Amino acid sequence: MGAFDNLLLSLDEGITDFFAQWNIYSTIIVTAFIGFLTYQISTRKDPDTHPMLLVRQSQGSPVRQPGQSPVYRGQSAPHGMPLQTGLNVKDPGASRWARGRDGDLRDIWRQAVAGVQEDGPSKGAKGKILSVFGTEHVTEHSLDDITRQINLIGGHIKEQGGSRVAIYIPNSVELLAALFACAFYNLTAVILPFEQPEEDVISMLRRSGADTVITAPGSFPFDLVAKHYPNLRQLIWIVDEGSRHMDWNEVPEGTGSSVNVSTWHEIIGDSPAAAGHELPPLEGQQEPSDVILFWQFKSGIPSEMVTFTAGNFASAIASQLFAIPTSQKMGPSDLFLPADSLANSYTLVLTLAALFSNASVALNSVGTQAYDLAAATRGISPTILVATPAALVMTHQETASNFSSLIARNLHWLQTRHLTQYGVMPTASFLSSYYDSLRPSIGTKPGKLRLILTAECVGSDTPRLSSQMLSDLRAYTGARIIYALSAAKVAGAVAQTLFYDYRVFEDKCSHFGPPLSSTEVFFKDMGEYKTTDSVSKGEIFVRGPSVSGGEAALGVAGYMRDDNTLAYA
């Protein structure tokens, strides 16, 4: 018998012995192994972004000043190129190749009314503006009706001699209309944080020099303001339908007749039906006025009044639009919900960016610094959500308690593994159907939410979010999360995490990603924190077209990590 025959014989005997020992346990092991391989192959996907793009997210300048770090810019605005200054608005008839204007708030509303201008299946599509009352009452507002309110309210305030308009109402259509009315009629808008102590409201009115107030009954201390703030000349009440039968034009006793009191609905209703439907013409328009916001610090520290120019807002809005990848950009199919106060510059900038993108916008009074996202999203199903860090911490705590069983913990491990090791958002599968029942209740249609934006506010008492918590929330909600650093004198954000950055580190506060395309960041020596050629650490400074005054010190220490992302020291 030849060697080859011996080989075949030994092989035959080996196979025979192998199957002779086969039993039910062998079947289970082989089936599990084949199932595991099949699952790995069928669910394997390319990362959402190339891993090398996350390794070095910003670049420093080649030269630094003594006691100062290099100047860091995001990869979207490299050194040698100008920072993003505006929206690149193209006027009618302009060449498509010509550079557009930076634009201002007026161009935001013009774009919202005009609809999508780019060629494609969504050309001409317009977003909706919704007011949400309770769980079922959702009202859609006509864009033409809002345009009429903008014109009539702006014209009324202008005719009465107003110039600085304080807006003291929760998130609402009237707040947006008042803001745009100020923009179109060259009035300075002063957005006050809602639900403040009476003495703080009077202080903010004094510091801003407001002569007109737009507010709602029951929230504004008219008697006290009329007594202690004699510069008030106009008051416009926004009255609910159920209370409009009452006389709201009375002036408190002892104040004389110096305050002209009117109501929003009477200004609109008493005007001719044909009035106010056309926006003021683009030709010959004046330079836009400023917008004043108040930055709230920790309890016991007075708020800081910050004046932003139209250029600050245009730059900030443009940088937010540029920060979202083209395939994921906001559009008419999105429903945007700000579950934080529009008096916050980060939330306001994102809301204006949504309007400019022709996304639908939902507004409700619950959204004013909402801590319960389930309550803030009742009656609607947002696809993009702006939330406070406190609301996300509460959502994380409540949802984590649902994952106490062994099956739930293992499913969460699989979801997290897709994010952190494969770099992809988990997709719906047979195994994830059980996981879906444990997710937080955000919106009426689970699974529609695709993006959550939140920001750490410098100097405030907002809770800090770790990268592990952000990763858990991505798995819990099925939405990507952007974490930004916002500051008093910066419209929008200083820096924010990249759209596809799902990495997890051992930290108590996650990094804030690279600077946006409208900002650049550097550090100066601060106490124990010293900058060297190899270490960029110290007090955070930011400058750029979105910064009030061009440059600002944040008053907190930070550093650039090895991947050139900004973090607290």
Side-chain angles (χ1 to χ4, degrees), residues 227-403:
K227 180 179 179 182
H228 293 93
Y229 184 63
N231 291 338
L232 183 62
R233 293 289 176 265
Q234 290 188 75
L235 177 65
I236 299 177
W237 292 117
I238 298 176
V239 183
D240 294 336
E241 288 188 19
S243 303
R244 291 180 180 177
H245 62 282
M246 301 172 61
D247 183 10
W248 293 100
N249 297 325
E250 294 183 0
V251 179
E253 295 182 5
T255 61
S257 58
S258 59
V259 181
N260 177 23
V261 181
S262 56
T263 62
W264 186 285
H265 66 275
E266 286 178 347
I267 295 172
I268 305 302
D270 293 346
S271 301
H277 290 284
E278 297 294 331
L279 291 171
L282 182 65
E283 297 78 11
Q285 64 180 7
Q286 297 179 333
E287 286 296 316
S289 296
D290 300 331
V291 176
I292 296 176
L293 301 178
F294 287 86
W295 184 264
Q296 294 182 291
F297 294 100
K298 295 179 180 178
S299 178
I301 302 177
S303 60
E304 179 181 353
M305 187 181 81
V306 184
T307 301
F308 292 105
T309 65
N312 295 147
F313 270 100
S315 175
I317 294 166
S319 66
Q320 288 295 339
L321 295 172
F322 194 74
I324 300 179
T326 303
S327 61
Q328 301 288 338
K329 68 179 183 179
M330 291 186 282
S333 61
D334 283 308
L335 176 58
F336 177 93
L337 173 68
D340 192 5
S341 172
L342 291 176
N344 180 312
S345 75
Y346 183 67
T347 308
L348 180 59
V349 163
L350 289 170
T351 304
L352 295 173
L355 288 172
F356 191 75
S357 303
N358 295 110
S360 296
V361 175
L363 299 164
N364 59 20
S365 58
V366 177
T368 303
Q369 298 180 344
Y371 293 101
D372 187 350
L373 294 182
T377 57
R378 282 175 185 159
I380 54 174
S381 295
T383 59
I384 301 175
L385 174 69
V386 181
T388 64
L392 294 180
V393 168
M394 179 179 291
T395 302
H396 181 268
Q397 292 173 346
E398 292 175 349
T399 309
S401 64
N402 298 333
F403 288 81

Side-chain angles (χ1 to χ4, degrees), residues 147-283:
T147 296
R148 187 167 183 266
Q149 294 179 46
I150 290 171
N151 285 321
L152 296 179
I153 296 297
H156 174 83
I157 296 173
K158 196 74 172 179
E159 290 172 1
Q160 297 297 322
S163 61
R164 300 172 79 84
V165 183
I167 306 169
Y168 186 62
I169 48 178
N171 293 2
S172 60
V173 173
E174 288 82 7
L175 191 154
L176 289 179
L179 176 63
F180 287 119
C182 291
F184 278 103
Y185 287 86
N186 201 33
L187 307 168
T188 299
V190 183
I191 303 180
L192 307 183
F194 194 59
E195 293 181 340
Q196 298 300 303
E198 294 176 346
E199 59 273 14
D200 289 354
V201 173
I202 296 173
S203 172
M204 288 186 283
L205 290 175
R206 283 199 183 112
R207 284 185 283 163
S208 63
D211 53 45
T212 302
V213 173
I214 298 175
T215 187
S219 60
F220 184 72
F222 187 18
D223 294 3
L224 209 60
V225 171
K227 180 179 179 182
H228 293 93
Y229 184 63
N231 291 338
L232 183 62
R233 293 289 176 265
Q234 290 188 75
L235 177 65
I236 299 177
W237 292 117
I238 298 176
V239 183
D240 294 336
E241 288 188 19
S243 303
R244 291 180 180 177
H245 62 282
M246 301 172 61
D247 183 10
W248 293 100
N249 297 325
E250 294 183 0
V251 179
E253 295 182 5
T255 61
S257 58
S258 59
V259 181
N260 177 23
V261 181
S262 56
T263 62
W264 186 285
H265 66 275
E266 286 178 347
I267 295 172
I268 305 302
D270 293 346
S271 301
H277 290 284
E278 297 294 331
L279 291 171
L282 182 65
E283 297 78 11

